[in-house]
Amino acid sequence: MAKKPSGKNTSGRGQRDLTVKVKTAKGRRISSTRWLQRQLNDPYVKRAQAEGYRGRAAFKIMELDDKFRFLVPGARVVDLGCAPGGWCQVAVPRVNALGEKKAKAVGTILGIDLQEVDPIPGCDIHVLDFMEDGADDKVKAWLGGKADVVMSDMAAASSGHKQTDHLRIIALCEAAAYLAFDVLDEGGTFVSKVLAGGAEGELQKLLKQRFRKVANVKPPASRADSSEKFVVATGFRG
């Protein structure tokens, strides 16, 4: 059960009184309790709830786009592993997918995931395993051409073993990159989550062969205690 702040502001306790504390319930692991407490006190979680986003990850793509400017009006965007849909939500107004900016080009957003995702106005969402044969042709058919942006916030299910999880997410990122090579238009952008851990060197080498610039970024919305970072590759060579 969550313990609500007392509201008192005695000397030296003002900041602590604003923190929601979670007691360890019967059957709940300590790690789960820590995760719950972190969620309850995470400013990005609270902001996502207040602003109607489906998760705190929305702010990661927001901050990346603020820096690199790839979600522009008229852009054709593919969001791999799009559930629950926060990245798509951010992309809708930025690429003008609903045509609300009358003087701007209208963009297209294609969300892909292994599971059903609740509809998002301005997005075309499909259930698809992007690693299956012919997935690239389906993506281009749904888009009506090639993409300007392929982005991915995917992560493999955690095994609890740091190095195993690192290798899994790098493999997933490489698979996403190969799909991007097939569906991106010249000059396009690839954005993907990775975990630092030593095996990302080959991925970097691969991307530098195909893109003019490759940057590694940890946006402010990414938790400081996480090994998560994002690779942003721009200027696809085609």
Side-chain angles (χ1 to χ4, degrees), residues 9 23 27 35 43 48 59 88 93 102 125 138 148 154 157 161 168 170 186 196-197 234:
N9 190 14
K23 294 180 180 179
W35 179 87
F59 299 104
C88 285
K102 301 301 181 183
I125 301 176
K138 289 181 180 179
D148 299 301
M154 293 184 294
H161 185 267
R168 284 179 177 176
I170 293 298
E186 187 173 350
T234 56

Short mmCIF file of all heavy atoms in Angstrom, two decimals, residues 9 23 27 35 43 48 59 88 93 102 125 138 148 154 157 161 168 170 186 196-197 234:
data_model
loop_
_atom_site.label_atom_id
_atom_site.label_comp_id
_atom_site.label_asym_id
_atom_site.label_seq_id
_atom_site.Cartn_x
_atom_site.Cartn_y
_atom_site.Cartn_z
N ASN A 9 6.02 20.06 7.02
CA ASN A 9 7.24 20.61 6.46
C ASN A 9 8.17 21.03 7.58
O ASN A 9 8.53 22.19 7.71
CB ASN A 9 6.90 21.80 5.54
CG ASN A 9 8.12 22.22 4.75
OD1 ASN A 9 9.11 21.51 4.67
ND2 ASN A 9 8.05 23.41 4.15
N LYS A 23 5.32 0.16 0.92
CA LYS A 23 5.66 -0.94 1.82
C LYS A 23 5.71 -2.24 1.04
O LYS A 23 4.96 -2.43 0.08
CB LYS A 23 4.61 -1.05 2.93
CG LYS A 23 4.59 0.16 3.88
CD LYS A 23 3.53 -0.03 4.94
CE LYS A 23 3.51 1.16 5.89
NZ LYS A 23 2.46 1.01 6.93
N GLY A 27 4.24 -11.40 -0.72
CA GLY A 27 4.31 -11.98 -2.05
C GLY A 27 4.98 -11.08 -3.07
O GLY A 27 5.24 -11.49 -4.20
N TRP A 35 10.70 -0.82 -7.78
CA TRP A 35 10.23 -0.35 -9.08
C TRP A 35 8.95 0.47 -8.91
O TRP A 35 8.81 1.54 -9.50
CB TRP A 35 9.97 -1.54 -10.01
CG TRP A 35 9.46 -1.13 -11.36
CD1 TRP A 35 10.19 -0.79 -12.46
CD2 TRP A 35 8.08 -0.98 -11.76
NE1 TRP A 35 9.38 -0.44 -13.50
CE2 TRP A 35 8.08 -0.56 -13.10
CE3 TRP A 35 6.87 -1.18 -11.10
CZ2 TRP A 35 6.89 -0.32 -13.80
CZ3 TRP A 35 5.69 -0.93 -11.80
CH2 TRP A 35 5.71 -0.51 -13.13
N PRO A 43 8.98 11.96 -12.01
CA PRO A 43 8.30 13.14 -12.57
C PRO A 43 7.82 12.94 -14.00
O PRO A 43 6.81 13.52 -14.41
CB PRO A 43 9.36 14.24 -12.48
CG PRO A 43 10.67 13.51 -12.40
CD PRO A 43 10.38 12.25 -11.66
N ALA A 48 3.51 12.31 -17.91
CA ALA A 48 2.83 11.54 -18.95
C ALA A 48 1.35 11.37 -18.63
O ALA A 48 0.48 11.51 -19.50
CB ALA A 48 3.50 10.17 -19.10
N PHE A 59 8.54 11.04 -23.71
CA PHE A 59 9.43 12.19 -23.56
C PHE A 59 10.83 11.92 -24.10
O PHE A 59 11.57 12.84 -24.42
CB PHE A 59 9.46 12.62 -22.09
CG PHE A 59 8.11 13.04 -21.60
CD1 PHE A 59 7.37 12.20 -20.78
CD2 PHE A 59 7.54 14.24 -21.99
CE1 PHE A 59 6.10 12.55 -20.35
CE2 PHE A 59 6.27 14.61 -21.57
CZ PHE A 59 5.54 13.77 -20.75
N CYS A 88 4.25 7.10 -31.04
CA CYS A 88 3.32 7.47 -32.09
C CYS A 88 2.57 8.75 -31.72
O CYS A 88 2.37 9.65 -32.55
CB CYS A 88 2.33 6.35 -32.35
SG CYS A 88 2.99 4.93 -33.26
N PRO A 93 1.44 15.11 -34.06
CA PRO A 93 1.43 16.54 -34.35
C PRO A 93 2.71 17.02 -35.04
O PRO A 93 2.67 17.97 -35.83
CB PRO A 93 1.28 17.19 -32.97
CG PRO A 93 1.81 16.17 -32.00
CD PRO A 93 1.47 14.86 -32.59
N LYS A 102 -2.52 23.59 -41.75
CA LYS A 102 -3.00 23.66 -43.13
C LYS A 102 -1.92 23.99 -44.15
O LYS A 102 -1.97 23.55 -45.29
CB LYS A 102 -4.14 24.68 -43.23
CG LYS A 102 -5.33 24.36 -42.33
CD LYS A 102 -5.93 23.00 -42.65
CE LYS A 102 -7.13 22.70 -41.76
NZ LYS A 102 -7.69 21.35 -42.00
N ILE A 125 -1.90 1.42 -37.53
CA ILE A 125 -1.22 0.45 -36.68
C ILE A 125 -1.54 -0.97 -37.13
O ILE A 125 -2.70 -1.32 -37.37
CB ILE A 125 -1.61 0.64 -35.20
CG1 ILE A 125 -1.24 2.06 -34.74
CG2 ILE A 125 -0.92 -0.39 -34.31
CD1 ILE A 125 -1.66 2.40 -33.32
N LYS A 138 5.62 -5.39 -46.94
CA LYS A 138 4.34 -5.00 -46.32
C LYS A 138 4.43 -3.57 -45.79
O LYS A 138 3.49 -2.78 -45.96
CB LYS A 138 4.00 -5.96 -45.17
CG LYS A 138 3.59 -7.34 -45.62
CD LYS A 138 3.24 -8.22 -44.42
CE LYS A 138 2.81 -9.62 -44.87
NZ LYS A 138 2.48 -10.50 -43.72
N ASP A 148 10.81 7.92 -44.24
CA ASP A 148 11.82 8.93 -43.91
C ASP A 148 12.45 8.65 -42.56
O ASP A 148 13.60 9.06 -42.31
CB ASP A 148 11.17 10.32 -43.88
CG ASP A 148 10.58 10.71 -45.23
OD1 ASP A 148 11.34 10.75 -46.21
OD2 ASP A 148 9.36 10.95 -45.29
N MET A 154 12.14 -0.70 -28.83
CA MET A 154 11.98 -2.10 -28.44
C MET A 154 13.06 -2.56 -27.46
O MET A 154 14.19 -2.10 -27.51
CB MET A 154 12.02 -3.01 -29.67
CG MET A 154 10.88 -2.85 -30.61
SD MET A 154 10.97 -4.05 -31.97
CE MET A 154 12.45 -3.48 -32.83
N ALA A 157 12.52 -9.11 -23.60
CA ALA A 157 12.11 -9.41 -22.22
C ALA A 157 13.35 -9.62 -21.36
O ALA A 157 14.30 -10.31 -21.76
CB ALA A 157 11.23 -10.64 -22.20
N HIS A 161 19.80 -11.17 -16.29
CA HIS A 161 21.26 -11.24 -16.46
C HIS A 161 21.67 -10.10 -17.38
O HIS A 161 21.28 -10.06 -18.55
CB HIS A 161 21.65 -12.59 -17.06
CG HIS A 161 23.13 -12.79 -17.16
ND1 HIS A 161 23.85 -12.48 -18.30
CD2 HIS A 161 24.04 -13.26 -16.26
CE1 HIS A 161 25.12 -12.76 -18.11
NE2 HIS A 161 25.27 -13.23 -16.88
N ARG A 168 20.81 -9.37 -26.25
CA ARG A 168 19.48 -9.51 -26.85
C ARG A 168 19.00 -8.21 -27.48
O ARG A 168 18.47 -8.19 -28.59
CB ARG A 168 18.47 -9.97 -25.80
CG ARG A 168 18.56 -11.44 -25.43
CD ARG A 168 17.55 -11.78 -24.36
NE ARG A 168 17.55 -13.21 -24.04
CZ ARG A 168 16.81 -13.76 -23.08
NH1 ARG A 168 16.00 -12.98 -22.36
NH2 ARG A 168 16.85 -15.05 -22.85
N ILE A 170 20.86 -5.68 -28.47
CA ILE A 170 21.71 -5.32 -29.60
C ILE A 170 21.27 -6.12 -30.83
O ILE A 170 21.20 -5.58 -31.95
CB ILE A 170 23.20 -5.59 -29.28
CG1 ILE A 170 23.68 -4.62 -28.20
CG2 ILE A 170 24.05 -5.44 -30.53
CD1 ILE A 170 23.62 -3.15 -28.58
N GLU A 186 16.48 7.61 -49.28
CA GLU A 186 17.80 8.27 -49.16
C GLU A 186 17.67 9.52 -48.30
O GLU A 186 16.71 10.29 -48.44
CB GLU A 186 18.32 8.64 -50.54
CG GLU A 186 19.74 9.17 -50.53
CD GLU A 186 20.31 9.36 -51.92
OE1 GLU A 186 19.67 8.90 -52.88
OE2 GLU A 186 21.39 9.97 -52.03
N ALA A 196 24.07 -0.06 -23.17
CA ALA A 196 25.53 -0.07 -23.14
C ALA A 196 26.00 -1.38 -22.51
O ALA A 196 25.38 -1.89 -21.57
CB ALA A 196 26.05 1.11 -22.34
N GLY A 197 27.09 -1.94 -23.04
CA GLY A 197 27.57 -3.20 -22.48
C GLY A 197 28.72 -3.83 -23.23
O GLY A 197 29.19 -4.89 -22.85
N THR A 234 21.59 9.52 -39.03
CA THR A 234 20.94 10.41 -39.98
C THR A 234 21.68 10.41 -41.31
O THR A 234 22.86 10.11 -41.39
CB THR A 234 20.90 11.85 -39.42
OG1 THR A 234 22.23 12.28 -39.10
CG2 THR A 234 20.06 11.93 -38.17
#
